[in-house]
Amino acid sequence: MSVLSIVIFLPLAAAALLALPRLGARAATWIWIAATAADLALVVAMWAGYGGGTAYETRLRWIPSVGAGYHVGVDGLSLPLIAMTSLLFLLCAVYSLRETHRPRAYAALFLFLQTVCLGVFAALDLLLFFVFFDLAIVGMYFVIVGWGHGDRARSGLKFFLYTFLGSLALLLGFIGLYLAAEPHTFDMADLIANPPPAGAPVLLAVGVGLAVKTPVVPVHTWLPPAHTDAPAAGSAILAGVLLKLGTYGLARIAVPMLPGQWRAYAWVVIVIGVLSVLYGALVALAQENLKRLIAYTSVNHMGYIVLALGAAGLSGGRAARELAVSGAVTQMVSHGLITGALFLISGVLWDRAGSYQIGKYGGIAGKAPVLSGLTAMAAFASLGLPGFSGFIAEFQIFTGVIGAGAAVAGAVSLTGILITAALLLRMLHRAFLGEPGELTGRVGDLRPHESAAIAPLLALSLVIGIAPRWLLDLIEPAAQAVVTLAGR
């Protein structure tokens, strides 16, 4: 078994271990932490040994009658997302050290989710991709319904129905690619090497399926209630990892396998990206619920990624299009780190006071300086302040989009940064500064395990913002390959 397969299935093996009888709650949590830490160590070793191209590849027969196999591997597009996923799951395990509600089942579900998310990013076969993609929906549904709060059953059902419907559209698109290919195959490498002559309906099916998962306007309405009623760690994984399954699928499948159709409808994708940027920011500005505010900023940030991938299909300068795609992948990593931290912070407020209502807080900085400092850091990172990973990503995206020939779209989307800055600074002022609110007295500072979960995410965002070369050296060759494939 290759090291990549071990990385994928180690969390699932740990989840099976949690089924042992008489295993205590504390032991289950530590097994969860140990498994995710070991997985992250293996990913770091993979990164250190990565030499370019498709690496750590395994290709085995699975369903030969339909040309589907167990085919996994990593490149500069998937390896950063696998590393971000492993880190975020580890820190969510640390954050959940004091989880008391069915901790064994909770840990097992997150370990299951980690396996299927890693499987999506590593899959090089469409059918394998779909299996992992669909199982991620199931895992998150049970996290929301089993450990959420508020109207969790309704929010979980809406999440499941929306995203499952999207996955069915995606399956139709994959079948269309399979039938159009000659010879018929689900293997991604073969489909990229020889793009099938599929038509616009196939792009529509694939695009809709991935757009729901991303999500973009107008198929985003499942996201705010799912976030609002999910547990904090569930929201961090939902925003940090599961949303990237959609944007990653666009870059891995839609652009290289349907290059002609992607170029033909590039402006449609760009318009959808711009609408998501502006709508997400404007609706977030009106929110009184902190979790819904962060959820709508995710719609905004995912819009930047879709905008950049749309620019890959334009006829403008090649270097600019490569820069846009590089920015899109960097934004996937950056958003996972920053928004994951923001959702964990929102979970601290819920744990202390049982409310996400911004207006019920105020003056938290005087009682919880560490919490307030990390929240301010996360807010500034999210609005794209220089020195953080968000600035690196958004600078690449806007420069690339404008240079590729979508100057108006880029200029209009820039206003999204201004609105995001306004809403996040307003949130900081109302909740953390000023006079104490009715719930401020219940808010204490971060506990050690909470700091240990939140601080590394923001520290890594800062490292990327100051010294991004180590990450960009991995991403840029993959971005160049995506643009080359889009131009065929």
PDB file of all heavy atoms in Angstrom, residues 146-158:
ATOM      1  N   GLY A 146     -26.701  15.236  14.636  1.00  0.00           N
ATOM      2  CA  GLY A 146     -26.378  14.583  15.906  1.00  0.00           C
ATOM      3  C   GLY A 146     -25.777  15.493  16.948  1.00  0.00           C
ATOM      4  O   GLY A 146     -25.980  15.281  18.153  1.00  0.00           O
ATOM      5  N   TRP A 147     -25.025  16.540  16.524  1.00  0.00           N
ATOM      6  CA  TRP A 147     -24.309  17.362  17.500  1.00  0.00           C
ATOM      7  C   TRP A 147     -24.549  18.862  17.304  1.00  0.00           C
ATOM      8  O   TRP A 147     -23.908  19.668  17.958  1.00  0.00           O
ATOM      9  CB  TRP A 147     -22.811  17.062  17.432  1.00  0.00           C
ATOM     10  CG  TRP A 147     -22.475  15.746  18.048  1.00  0.00           C
ATOM     11  CD1 TRP A 147     -22.079  15.526  19.331  1.00  0.00           C
ATOM     12  CD2 TRP A 147     -22.511  14.464  17.416  1.00  0.00           C
ATOM     13  NE1 TRP A 147     -21.867  14.185  19.543  1.00  0.00           N
ATOM     14  CE2 TRP A 147     -22.118  13.504  18.379  1.00  0.00           C
ATOM     15  CE3 TRP A 147     -22.840  14.025  16.136  1.00  0.00           C
ATOM     16  CZ2 TRP A 147     -22.063  12.147  18.101  1.00  0.00           C
ATOM     17  CZ3 TRP A 147     -22.780  12.679  15.856  1.00  0.00           C
ATOM     18  CH2 TRP A 147     -22.397  11.746  16.830  1.00  0.00           C
ATOM     19  N   GLY A 148     -25.457  19.212  16.430  1.00  0.00           N
ATOM     20  CA  GLY A 148     -25.756  20.620  16.215  1.00  0.00           C
ATOM     21  C   GLY A 148     -26.688  21.161  17.278  1.00  0.00           C
ATOM     22  O   GLY A 148     -26.969  20.531  18.298  1.00  0.00           O
ATOM     23  N   HIS A 149     -27.187  22.371  17.036  1.00  0.00           N
ATOM     24  CA  HIS A 149     -28.121  22.996  17.966  1.00  0.00           C
ATOM     25  C   HIS A 149     -29.146  23.783  17.153  1.00  0.00           C
ATOM     26  O   HIS A 149     -29.091  23.796  15.926  1.00  0.00           O
ATOM     27  CB  HIS A 149     -27.385  23.918  18.948  1.00  0.00           C
ATOM     28  CG  HIS A 149     -26.248  24.658  18.324  1.00  0.00           C
ATOM     29  ND1 HIS A 149     -24.927  24.306  18.509  1.00  0.00           N
ATOM     30  CD2 HIS A 149     -26.220  25.724  17.475  1.00  0.00           C
ATOM     31  CE1 HIS A 149     -24.145  25.121  17.824  1.00  0.00           C
ATOM     32  NE2 HIS A 149     -24.908  25.991  17.188  1.00  0.00           N
ATOM     33  N   GLY A 150     -30.083  24.424  17.824  1.00  0.00           N
ATOM     34  CA  GLY A 150     -31.113  25.151  17.097  1.00  0.00           C
ATOM     35  C   GLY A 150     -31.991  24.175  16.312  1.00  0.00           C
ATOM     36  O   GLY A 150     -32.293  23.069  16.763  1.00  0.00           O
ATOM     37  N   ASP A 151     -32.358  24.575  15.114  1.00  0.00           N
ATOM     38  CA  ASP A 151     -33.201  23.729  14.261  1.00  0.00           C
ATOM     39  C   ASP A 151     -32.314  22.811  13.423  1.00  0.00           C
ATOM     40  O   ASP A 151     -32.317  22.836  12.193  1.00  0.00           O
ATOM     41  CB  ASP A 151     -34.069  24.628  13.366  1.00  0.00           C
ATOM     42  CG  ASP A 151     -35.258  23.874  12.787  1.00  0.00           C
ATOM     43  OD1 ASP A 151     -35.378  22.662  13.060  1.00  0.00           O
ATOM     44  OD2 ASP A 151     -36.048  24.496  12.060  1.00  0.00           O
ATOM     45  N   ARG A 152     -31.558  21.975  14.124  1.00  0.00           N
ATOM     46  CA  ARG A 152     -30.516  21.184  13.466  1.00  0.00           C
ATOM     47  C   ARG A 152     -31.084  20.145  12.504  1.00  0.00           C
ATOM     48  O   ARG A 152     -30.471  19.865  11.464  1.00  0.00           O
ATOM     49  CB  ARG A 152     -29.636  20.508  14.508  1.00  0.00           C
ATOM     50  CG  ARG A 152     -30.398  19.583  15.444  1.00  0.00           C
ATOM     51  CD  ARG A 152     -29.511  19.094  16.576  1.00  0.00           C
ATOM     52  NE  ARG A 152     -30.244  18.167  17.433  1.00  0.00           N
ATOM     53  CZ  ARG A 152     -29.728  17.626  18.534  1.00  0.00           C
ATOM     54  NH1 ARG A 152     -28.495  17.920  18.892  1.00  0.00           N
ATOM     55  NH2 ARG A 152     -30.434  16.793  19.264  1.00  0.00           N
ATOM     56  N   ALA A 153     -32.240  19.561  12.842  1.00  0.00           N
ATOM     57  CA  ALA A 153     -32.821  18.540  11.960  1.00  0.00           C
ATOM     58  C   ALA A 153     -33.214  19.156  10.616  1.00  0.00           C
ATOM     59  O   ALA A 153     -32.940  18.585   9.551  1.00  0.00           O
ATOM     60  CB  ALA A 153     -34.028  17.893  12.626  1.00  0.00           C
ATOM     61  N   ARG A 154     -33.841  20.316  10.657  1.00  0.00           N
ATOM     62  CA  ARG A 154     -34.247  20.986   9.427  1.00  0.00           C
ATOM     63  C   ARG A 154     -33.028  21.437   8.611  1.00  0.00           C
ATOM     64  O   ARG A 154     -32.969  21.238   7.398  1.00  0.00           O
ATOM     65  CB  ARG A 154     -35.122  22.190   9.766  1.00  0.00           C
ATOM     66  CG  ARG A 154     -35.624  22.973   8.551  1.00  0.00           C
ATOM     67  CD  ARG A 154     -36.391  24.213   8.995  1.00  0.00           C
ATOM     68  NE  ARG A 154     -36.828  25.007   7.854  1.00  0.00           N
ATOM     69  CZ  ARG A 154     -37.982  24.839   7.227  1.00  0.00           C
ATOM     70  NH1 ARG A 154     -38.810  23.893   7.621  1.00  0.00           N
ATOM     71  NH2 ARG A 154     -38.315  25.602   6.211  1.00  0.00           N
ATOM     72  N   SER A 155     -32.038  22.018   9.300  1.00  0.00           N
ATOM     73  CA  SER A 155     -30.835  22.481   8.603  1.00  0.00           C
ATOM     74  C   SER A 155     -30.062  21.323   7.992  1.00  0.00           C
ATOM     75  O   SER A 155     -29.556  21.409   6.869  1.00  0.00           O
ATOM     76  CB  SER A 155     -29.936  23.259   9.571  1.00  0.00           C
ATOM     77  OG  SER A 155     -30.592  24.407  10.050  1.00  0.00           O
ATOM     78  N   GLY A 156     -29.965  20.214   8.743  1.00  0.00           N
ATOM     79  CA  GLY A 156     -29.280  19.039   8.222  1.00  0.00           C
ATOM     80  C   GLY A 156     -29.985  18.448   7.013  1.00  0.00           C
ATOM     81  O   GLY A 156     -29.340  18.056   6.041  1.00  0.00           O
ATOM     82  N   LEU A 157     -31.323  18.408   7.079  1.00  0.00           N
ATOM     83  CA  LEU A 157     -32.079  17.875   5.951  1.00  0.00           C
ATOM     84  C   LEU A 157     -31.920  18.758   4.716  1.00  0.00           C
ATOM     85  O   LEU A 157     -31.759  18.254   3.593  1.00  0.00           O
ATOM     86  CB  LEU A 157     -33.558  17.754   6.337  1.00  0.00           C
ATOM     87  CG  LEU A 157     -34.488  17.178   5.265  1.00  0.00           C
ATOM     88  CD1 LEU A 157     -34.077  15.752   4.911  1.00  0.00           C
ATOM     89  CD2 LEU A 157     -35.938  17.217   5.729  1.00  0.00           C
ATOM     90  N   LYS A 158     -31.960  20.078   4.914  1.00  0.00           N
ATOM     91  CA  LYS A 158     -31.798  20.993   3.782  1.00  0.00           C
ATOM     92  C   LYS A 158     -30.413  20.837   3.169  1.00  0.00           C
ATOM     93  O   LYS A 158     -30.257  20.796   1.945  1.00  0.00           O
ATOM     94  CB  LYS A 158     -32.015  22.435   4.247  1.00  0.00           C
ATOM     95  CG  LYS A 158     -32.042  23.446   3.115  1.00  0.00           C
ATOM     96  CD  LYS A 158     -32.435  24.829   3.622  1.00  0.00           C
ATOM     97  CE  LYS A 158     -32.570  25.818   2.464  1.00  0.00           C
ATOM     98  NZ  LYS A 158     -32.991  27.162   2.942  1.00  0.00           N
TER      99      LYS A 158
END
